[in-house]
């Protein structure tokens, strides 16, 4: 039942986790803005009367225009939750690298752009909305493999490095928001292996109890956001709320 007269925003609502988060937020907040490259909302979200679907490309100009729409939406109902659920691991012509011989400058650049640059462009575009919020929590999907201290296996060069870059960018953003929007909590969130298209080629060796549904991950993420502290620091945590080393 919707009982909080505030706004929640999900960037990347067309993905498995992003869609599940948007659906969960629609049960809590009066207004949800769901942003995606997809032109129309999937059926599971189309039935949410309080959800506004906002198509948007990854171009900076388009992000700016979408941010202006979100700014207007938050004028009456202030922002309470922002989730940035964009990211890529594999796609047409690229997969996680197993060796140095597989490195490609084009693939590395693409992974950095999608996994590190794009989330920060959204955070920058929505910074004025965050400054006006009364008390907001922001979560960006990161990954445990982005931890330098936790990397004992190697491989997956581009994905690891792009998520590590994301964490550094977010840590700097947390310091700035601590000055400009001290009421905002910022998290880098590791969802675990989730049953989505992103992880599908790599699920064979994942134990059944470690392969999570998008709906379960969405609830875990919202629980972490509810518990987050606005202290000017970036919190890098997993689905259970356990801190992850940088």
């Amino acid at each position: 039942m919707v009982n909080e007269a505030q706004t929640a925003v999900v960037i990347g609502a067309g993905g498995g986790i992003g869609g599940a988060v948007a659906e969960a937020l629609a049960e809590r907040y009066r207004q949800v803005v769901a942003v995606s490259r997809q032109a129309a909302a999937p059926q599971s979200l189309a039935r949410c009367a309080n959800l506004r679907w906002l198509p948007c490309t990854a171009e900076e100009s388009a992000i700016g225009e979408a941010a202006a729409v979100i700014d207007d939406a938050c004028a009456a109902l202030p922002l309470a939750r922002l989730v940035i659920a964009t990211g890529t691991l594999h796609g047409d012509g690229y997969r996680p690298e197993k060796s140095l011989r597989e490195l490609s400058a084009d693939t590395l650049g693409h992974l950095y752009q999608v996994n590190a640059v794009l989330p920060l462009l959204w955070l920058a575009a929505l910074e004025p909305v965050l400054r006006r919020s009364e008390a907001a929590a922001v979560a960006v999907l990161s990954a445990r493999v982005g931890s330098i201290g936790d990397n004992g296996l190697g491989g997956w060069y581009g994905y690891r490095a792009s998520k590590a870059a994301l964490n550094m960018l977010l840590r700097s953003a947390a310091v700035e928001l601590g000055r400009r929007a001290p009421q905002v909590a910022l998290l880098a969130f590791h969802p675990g292996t989730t049953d989505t298209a992103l992880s599908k080629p790599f699920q064979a060796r994942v134990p059944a109890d470690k392969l999570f549904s998008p709906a379960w991950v969405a609830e875990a993420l919202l629980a972490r956001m509810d518990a987050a502290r606005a202290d000017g620091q970036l919190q890098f945590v997993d689905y259970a709320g356990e801190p992850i080393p940088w």
Side-chain angles (χ1 to χ4, degrees):
M1 179 179 295
V2 177
N3 58 12
E4 298 191 39
Q6 296 171 297
T7 298
V9 176
V10 180
I11 311 298
I17 294 177
V21 170
E23 189 171 1
L25 287 169
E27 297 179 359
R28 295 177 52 174
Y29 293 98
R30 187 75 54 83
Q31 176 177 234
V32 175
V33 181
V35 182
S36 174
R37 292 175 299 172
Q38 299 178 17
Q43 185 175 1
S44 60
L45 296 179
R47 62 171 180 255
C48 299
N50 58 331
L51 185 142
R52 177 177 182 177
W53 190 259
L54 183 59
C56 181
T57 67
E59 297 177 355
E60 285 190 63
S61 59
I63 291 172
E65 292 170 4
V69 173
I70 294 170
D71 196 324
D72 289 342
C74 294
L77 298 173
L79 181 69
R81 296 288 183 268
L82 168 62
V83 177
I84 302 178
T86 57
T88 185
L89 173 59
H90 59 88
D92 187 16
Y94 67 96
R95 290 172 61 86
E97 311 92 343
K98 295 181 180 179
S99 70
L100 290 168
R101 295 188 301 273
E102 297 177 16
L103 290 178
S104 158
D106 289 342
T107 298
L108 288 171
H110 178 67
L111 290 167
Y112 275 101
Q113 180 66 29
V114 175
N115 292 337
V117 176
L118 184 59
L120 266 290
L121 291 178
W122 274 108
L123 199 59
L126 294 172
E127 188 255 355
V129 181
L130 292 171
R131 281 193 280 110
R132 292 201 313 273
S133 67
E134 296 172 359
V138 179
V140 183
L141 290 192
S142 185
R144 187 182 301 276
V145 296
S147 165
I148 295 174
D150 191 61
N151 182 7
L153 296 176
W156 288 37
Y157 286 87
Y159 190 68
R160 285 184 184 276
S162 62
K163 288 297 187 178
L166 170 66
N167 290 348
M168 178 59 81
L169 291 167
L170 290 174
R171 194 158 189 180
S172 289
V175 174
E176 179 177 350
L177 290 174
R179 296 192 298 263
R180 297 179 179 272
Q183 77 286 7
V184 173
L186 183 59
L187 300 88
F189 178 75
H190 168 63
T193 304
T194 311
D195 190 11
T196 65
L198 184 142
S199 71
K200 191 67 70 177
F202 314 101
Q203 294 179 5
R205 297 183 179 180
V206 179
D209 63 342
K210 293 297 183 182
L211 181 62
F212 307 131
S213 71
W216 187 91
V217 170
E219 291 301 329
L221 172 56
L222 297 189
R224 303 288 77 77
M225 296 180 80
D226 290 345
R229 306 178 308 277
D231 57 5
Q233 298 295 317
L234 175 65
Q235 300 165 50
F236 186 18
V237 298
D238 68 9
Y239 49 85
E242 294 298 321
I244 300 173
W246 299 109

